[in-house]
Amino acid sequence: MNKLLLGLVLVVAVACGGGPGRDIGAPGPGAYPQLGDSAPHDWGGAHPYGHQVHGIDISRWQGDIDWGRVRGSGISFAYIKSTEGGDHLDPNFNRYWREAAGARIPRGAYHYYYFCRSGAEQAAWFIRNVPRERGSLPPVLDIEWTHSKTCPGRPSPAVVKREANVFLDIVGRHYGQRPVVYTTVDFYHDNDLGDLRAEFWLRSVAGHPRRVYPGERWAFWQYTGTGIVPGISGNVDLNAFAGSRADWSRWLQTRLTR
């Protein structure tokens, strides 16, 4: 019952947006004046700052977080690193999961893919560690070249997409929502991910996604790794949602875990 009530609270919070702020671009980094960037890119006209919905993605490296200040700065969502490979759980995941919910910030979990484990193994590990909780954002598969010393191999595009689809199918069935796929410019092009059946979250810190990923549709754009958010010490990733607040509410109506 407690989980059900928590989920209902999150659904209401999502529909109301991410806190005080303006619906137009701010004169500095971020759509809200409270947000910033310690190393902003010179975007020219094709910048992310006019987007109405912004969020963060975090892991253990963010340390202690004042979630009330994060919400008050205009952040509308948080993606939290949960798992990696088939045996690693981020030590701050469970704490962040509870704290973000307590601050009424819609949150989801992401899995960092490890190429020396099968998609099925990694899906099972994610499911073992991430609650299926009403009102949560859809899961995310973070798949990129890892530069790992213990797992240096780079599978072929066919293997990459085959195993990614295994993960997406298993996790999607469990949570009732097919995961969003986060990826980087080099990985996307090296593996021709355009034909992967997925909703994308694209990293692009030096160019608009329509230029860097021509023709690809996306839900989220990670536009900086050096963002500044009140309530978080040091740099943090900032992300923009593709549409307006109204689009965000409609997206959530179909993509929240139920």
Side-chain angles (χ1 to χ4, degrees):
M1 180 61 72
N2 288 339
K3 288 186 176 180
L4 176 60
L5 291 174
L6 176 60
L8 292 173
V9 168
L10 285 174
V11 171
V12 172
V14 166
C16 293
R22 299 182 296 175
D23 284 348
I24 58 175
Y32 297 94
Q34 300 96 321
L35 303 180
D37 196 326
S38 64
H41 178 67
D42 182 7
W43 296 98
H47 59 73
Y49 306 145
H51 285 265
Q52 296 177 8
V53 178
H54 292 247
I56 55 173
D57 62 277
I58 57 172
S59 67
R60 63 184 297 181
W61 307 112
Q62 271 64 59
D64 293 334
I65 294 175
D66 183 336
W67 289 95
R69 291 186 68 200
V70 170
R71 178 173 170 80
S73 71
I75 290 298
S76 293
F77 63 89
Y79 266 108
I80 305 166
K81 182 177 181 180
S82 56
T83 48
E84 180 175 330
D87 58 6
H88 177 75
L89 173 68
D90 189 287
N92 281 357
F93 170 69
N94 288 307
R95 176 162 69 98
Y96 288 161
W97 187 258
R98 293 191 304 270
E99 292 174 347
R104 298 189 304 129
I105 296 177
R107 81 285 195 253
Y110 75 87
H111 173 82
Y112 188 78
Y113 196 87
Y114 190 67
F115 293 102
C116 291
R117 297 271 192 162
S118 71
E121 288 178 282
Q122 297 187 65
W125 181 243
F126 182 86
I127 289 168
R128 178 177 168 181
N129 287 283
V130 177
R132 189 187 191 284
E133 211 166 276
R134 184 175 181 180
S136 302
L137 298 175
V140 165
L141 172 61
D142 175 350
I143 189 164
E144 55 187 283
W145 295 131
T146 63
H147 308 289
S148 169
K149 293 180 179 179
T150 59
C151 182
R154 294 192 171 193
S156 69
V159 171
V160 164
K161 287 183 280 193
R162 182 191 71 205
E163 294 302 310
N165 273 315
V166 169
F167 181 97
L168 296 173
D169 289 344
I170 294 173
V171 171
R173 285 194 298 269
H174 180 80
Y175 295 93
Q177 292 287 354
R178 189 170 176 84
V180 174
V181 172
Y182 168 93
T183 195
T184 59
V185 179
D186 58 342
F187 191 86
Y188 177 93
H189 291 294
D190 288 349
N191 293 283
D192 193 22
L193 290 190
D195 60 0
L196 187 68
R197 186 170 67 87
E199 185 171 35
F200 282 104
W201 173 3
L202 301 175
R203 175 175 173 81
S204 184
V205 299
H208 195 283
R210 66 170 171 260
R211 179 178 66 81
V212 180
Y213 302 86
E216 185 59 75
R217 299 184 64 183
W218 50 275
F220 299 102
W221 169 17
Q222 185 185 81
Y223 59 86
T224 184
T226 53
I228 299 172
V229 176
I232 298 177
S233 299
N235 293 332
V236 65
D237 294 334
L238 282 173
N239 307 272
F241 175 69
S244 66
R245 284 190 180 278
D247 294 327
W248 174 240
S249 293
R250 285 190 289 269
W251 186 85
L252 289 165
Q253 287 172 13
T254 62
R255 292 294 267 140
L256 287 177
T257 300
R258 287 168 169 73

